[in-house]
Structures are given as structure tokens and as C-alpha cells.
């Protein structure tokens, strides 16, 4: 009893006894399945491949993490400011605004050789004012370098 199988485009065709051929194919398939199940299934090997953009993202992330760690370390290492109750003995000189005065005219009177814009900016920063609106009788603090000027009044005289 011999079986011959021919392979065509449609698939295998069996000329002889189908039972014998089936037994041969069946035992071969069973042996193959048994051999595959005996081997441990190896995990497919995947390799992480980064594009240029991926490398830039990971590099930026690493930079942010390192900068954050340095910031935390610097905040713990920096000495804290210790406030004491001592009052400053420094008193600013003042200019009392007259009717019609502006910060520009006061700055020009205090330092005629300098640019009035710079002096006005110093006066605004010192007095924490934004607008140039002055009322007659307002006491305006001026920088310490004008303490000896005849236009200024000491804080004790106010």
C-alpha cells in the first residue's frame, strides 16, 4: 500500500489510500507540535530605536530633570535671610511739593546737569508711585545723594 501525493496549484491531491496518507501527515504534524511545545517560547527580541526627534525629547527631559535636581539642591544649600528688629538709622531727605510742581521740575531743580528722566525714575521707585501727579504739600522722598541740597528738607523737620 503506497500512497503518492501530487501538489498542484489547488493543493495536495491524494491518488491512493487516503487513510494511510492521512496517518503520515497526522503523525508528522503531531511530532512537530510536540517539538514546538517542548521548547520554551522565546520572547520576540525588540530593540528600541530612537529617531532624531526622540533623542531630542529624551535629552530635553534629562536636562529638565537635572536642572530641577540642581535647583532643589541649591535651595537646601542656600543660607536663609535672618531678619532682626533693628531699624535703619538712615533717613531720606524730602522735597515738599509746591503748587504747580511736577516730578520733572523737582528732578531738574535737584540735579540740573543730569538727565531729568533718570532722576524722575529714581524718585518714582523710591516713593513707589507710578503717576507723576503731585498735590501741593506732598512730601516726596529723594535719593540720599541730595541730602545737602537747599531744595531738600530733613525727615525730622516734617
Amino acid at each position: 500500500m503506497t500512497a503518492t501525493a501530487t501538489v498542484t496549484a489547488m493543493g495536495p491531491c491524494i491518488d491512493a489510500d487516503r487513510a494511510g496518507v492521512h496517518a503520515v501527515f497526522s503523525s508528522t504534524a503531531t511530532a512537530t507540535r510536540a517539538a514546538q511545545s517542548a521548547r520554551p517560547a522565546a520572547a520576540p527580541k525588540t530593540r528600541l530605536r530612537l529617531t532624531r526627534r526622540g533623542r531630542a525629547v529624551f535629552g530635553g527631559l534629562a536636562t529638565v530633570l537635572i536642572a530641577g535636581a540642581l535647583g532643589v539642591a541649591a535651595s537646601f544649600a542656600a543660607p536663609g535671610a535672618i531678619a532682626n528688629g533693628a531699624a535703619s538709622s538712615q533717613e531720606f531727605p524730602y522735597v515738599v511739593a509746591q503748587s504747580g510742581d511736577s516730578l520733572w521740575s523737582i528732578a531738574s531743580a535737584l540735579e540740573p546737569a543730569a538727565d531729568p528722566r533718570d532722576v524722575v525714575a529714581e524718585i518714582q521707585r523710591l516713593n513707589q508711585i507710578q503717576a507723576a501727579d503731585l498735590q501741593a504739600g506732598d512730601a516726596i522722598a529723594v535719593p540720599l545723594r541730595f541730602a545737602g541740597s537747599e531744595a531738600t528738607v530733613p525727615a525730622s523737620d516734617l
Side-chain angles (χ1 to χ4, degrees):
M1 248 189 172
T2 60
T4 58
T6 58
V7 178
T8 62
M10 300 289 287
C13 294
I14 301 174
D15 292 345
D17 183 19
R18 291 177 187 238
V21 172
H22 180 64
V24 171
F25 286 136
S26 174
S27 65
T28 305
T30 305
T32 305
R33 273 189 243 127
Q36 287 176 351
S37 66
R39 282 188 242 145
K45 292 183 181 180
T46 58
R47 183 171 175 227
L48 181 64
R49 292 174 29 181
L50 291 176
T51 61
R52 179 179 292 182
R53 186 179 350 173
R55 285 189 299 270
V57 167
F58 278 117
L61 182 63
T63 302
V64 167
L65 290 175
I66 290 171
L70 289 175
V72 168
S75 68
F76 285 123
I82 299 172
N84 58 14
S88 174
S89 63
Q90 198 67 263
E91 291 185 2
F92 288 100
Y94 286 86
V95 172
V96 178
Q98 303 298 321
S99 178
D101 276 350
S102 66
L103 288 178
W104 189 274
S105 64
I106 292 172
S108 297
L110 288 172
E111 195 168 6
D115 186 8
R117 291 176 289 196
D118 295 334
V119 180
V120 167
E122 284 182 276
I123 293 172
Q124 283 180 328
R125 188 173 40 251
L126 182 63
N127 292 285
Q128 298 178 353
I129 56 175
Q130 299 298 325
D133 297 331
L134 290 179
Q135 302 294 326
D138 285 346
I140 305 296
V142 294
L144 289 174
R145 68 176 185 266
F146 302 117
S149 174
E150 66 272 351
T152 62
V153 178
S156 61
D157 290 350
L158 292 177

